[in-house]
Amino acid sequence: PKLKAKANETRHVLPCLFEILQDPLIHDASDYCKYRLSAVACLCRFYAYCDSPTFFFTPHIADEAETCASDFLDCYSWLADASIANGHMKWQLTIKFHYFKHGAKFARFLNPKFGSTYTPESFVGKIAAIAHSSSFGKPSHMIGRHLMRNIQMVGLVDKRRAQ
């Protein structure tokens, strides 16, 4: 089964998933099951730290949160490599892991629950999509002008939505 949703919408399912994955009918002694369970455990611990009501972590908790994120990414990378080795395309790595790594790294300055690295970096992706759509059927020397006009239109639309 494939679950497609935003991380913030699915993270509340993780503790239940952790319990399910420990069931002997699902969890065996294979490396795959060990890494899968470890990945979910790391995420559960990370989100438990983030759910604290404090704006700032202690240095120890910030280190723990960063370790959880790094361990999760290590487990996930192993699962992706194992999947590819078996001829499957499961456990795909996406750019969102980059944002996750940032959130964990900067947790020493602000609880990720109260800030976001995704918003400014997402804007770069929007500009890239606009640039790509602006390039079709135009000579290269005209793309810049067309791109700037499209970016201005997107800004105006966003401004009107906010009003």
Side-chain angles (χ1 to χ4, degrees), residues 140-151:
S140 59
H141 69 279
M142 295 294 291
I143 292 173
R145 177 178 292 157
H146 190 70
L147 172 62
M148 291 310 296
R149 190 172 53 229
N150 283 354
I151 290 172

Side-chain angles (χ1 to χ4, degrees), residues 106-139:
F106 294 120
R108 67 185 62 261
F109 305 113
L110 179 69
N111 183 341
K113 174 179 165 180
F114 298 107
S116 172
T117 60
Y118 181 75
T119 304
E121 293 190 28
S122 173
F123 183 71
V124 172
K126 288 179 184 176
I127 298 299
I130 293 169
H132 182 70
S133 70
S134 298
S135 65
F136 295 107
K138 291 172 193 56

Side-chain angles (χ1 to χ4, degrees), residues 3-4 7 15 17 26 29 54 58 63 75 101 132 136 151 157 159:
L3 177 63
K4 186 166 178 74
L17 186 59
I26 296 172
T54 60
T58 64
D63 290 341
C75 291
K101 184 71 172 170
H132 182 70
F136 295 107
I151 290 172
V157 169
K159 217 182 258 187

